[in-house]
């Protein structure tokens, strides 16, 4: 018989790093070159099944990255079981912003929150500013799952959610 569990997931990170695009790739398996930027936050759900017949339903809050919405973020991460903090591998300052989000989560969110760092836009390798090893070393030190992804090609997108699902506590 199959088991079912649902978890809240929040996406955080600077504006335009590809948070909404990652969610749309995961939920609809689509990518739009000209996605409108998120206002406030968007809510989406998606289920995945694990090898052991467990079905995981993710309730996803895709937040807006702009500074003017920053004060709303705690509403979305306060009850979250997991967070995906996104940066853009072609913008090194977006990793600095991601690190600040991780710090805030580690101080203020649920103490068992599972945090993943995602370096997005892997298809733009020719414009890379953040070396894989640098982000990976930081993720390891901070205790985060780490992936480099492309919402455009789909590389590693499902993998993020599958790895998180495997770490979530299921009775
Ligand atoms: P958000 O503000 O973090 O939600 O970012 P969006 O998902 O709105 O994406 C911002 C821009 O980056 C859009 O023009 C997307 O088409 C583009 N984008 C998002 N993900 C990728 C990716 O993996 N590769 C490339 N080349 N562009 C991407
Ligand atoms: Mg967005």
């Amino acid at each position: 018989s199959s088991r079912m569990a649902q978890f809240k997931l929040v996406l955080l990170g600077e504006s335009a790093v590809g948070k909404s695009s990652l969610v749309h790739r995961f939920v609809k398996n689509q990518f739009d070159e000209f996605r409108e930027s998120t206002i406030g936050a968007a809510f989406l759900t998606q289920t995945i099944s694990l090898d052991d017949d467990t079905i995981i339903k993710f309730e996803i809050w895709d937040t807006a990255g702009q500074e003017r919405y920053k004060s709303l973020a705690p509403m979305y991460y306060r009850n979250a079981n997991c967070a995906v903090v996104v940066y853009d591998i072609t913008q090194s300052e977006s990793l600095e912003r991601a690190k600040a989000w991780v710090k805030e989560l580690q101080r203020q969110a649920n103490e068992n929150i599972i945090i993943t760092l995602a370096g997005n836009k892997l298809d733009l390798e020719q414009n890379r500013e953040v070396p894989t090893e640098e982000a990976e070393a930081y993720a390891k030190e901070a205790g985060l799952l780490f992936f480099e992804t492309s919402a455009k090609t789909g590389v590693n997108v499902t993998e993020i959610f599958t790895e998180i699902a495997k770490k979530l506590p299921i009775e």
Side-chain angles (χ1 to χ4, degrees), residues 5-87:
Q6 63 185 42
F7 296 97
K8 293 185 200 306
L9 183 147
V10 64
L11 276 113
L12 296 164
E14 193 170 308
S15 193
V17 295
K19 298 178 294 300
S20 299
S21 298
L22 285 170
V23 176
H24 281 262
R25 173 59 77 187
F26 176 53
V27 172
K28 304 209 169 100
N29 200 19
Q30 287 172 356
F31 177 77
D32 306 322
E33 207 70 59
F34 304 103
R35 166 160 305 289
E36 280 180 36
S37 69
T38 311
I39 296 171
F43 180 72
L44 298 98
T45 65
Q46 176 64 304
T47 56
I48 58 173
S49 12
L50 299 179
D51 293 338
D52 66 354
D53 247 12
T54 309
I55 296 168
I56 305 285
K57 179 179 180 187
F58 284 106
E59 299 181 331
I60 304 170
W61 282 103
D62 170 24
T63 68
Q66 295 94 326
E67 272 310 302
R68 74 192 124 114
Y69 296 117
K70 196 180 175 302
S71 62
L72 299 179
M75 272 190 346
Y76 301 108
Y77 67 64
R78 195 164 291 136
N79 297 314
N81 306 99
C82 35
V84 179
V85 180
V86 184
Y87 68 96

